[in-house]
């Protein structure tokens, strides 16, 4: 939907969102999570860049046709 992602770096979350499409906070670190949210409030350019990177990540990594082509054998 074109929104930036703020999440905790637990389980497969870092693998799903990639390196440049989200702000990730350590698990259990509420202060780091709050800081990441505040950063997006203060930095509209960063917020927009993350949103665009997220959309690109979905298009590249989760496009059904590309996935089928990469895994068909």
């Amino acid at each position: 939907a074109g929104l930036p992602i703020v999440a905790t770096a637990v389980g497969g979350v870092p693998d799903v969102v990639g390196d440049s499409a989200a702000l990730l906070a350590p698990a259990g670190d509420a202060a780091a999570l709050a800081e990441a949210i505040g950063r997006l409030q203060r930095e509209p350019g960063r917020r927009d860049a993350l949103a665009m990177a997220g959309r690109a990540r979905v298009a590249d990594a989760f496009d059904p046709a590309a996935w089928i082509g990469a895994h068909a054998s």
Side-chain angles (χ1 to χ4, degrees):
L3 298 174
I5 298 169
V6 176
T8 54
V10 296
V13 172
D15 296 326
V16 171
V17 299
D19 294 333
S20 63
L23 294 180
L24 297 175
D29 190 342
L33 190 60
E35 174 54 33
I37 293 168
R39 182 175 176 192
L40 292 183
Q41 288 177 320
R42 294 185 306 273
E43 300 177 21
R46 179 73 171 145
R47 185 174 58 231
D48 295 342
L50 282 172
M52 290 188 331
R55 293 193 90 177
R57 170 85 175 142
V58 169
D60 292 343
F62 302 104
D63 175 68
W67 191 89
I68 290 168
H71 295 89
S73 297

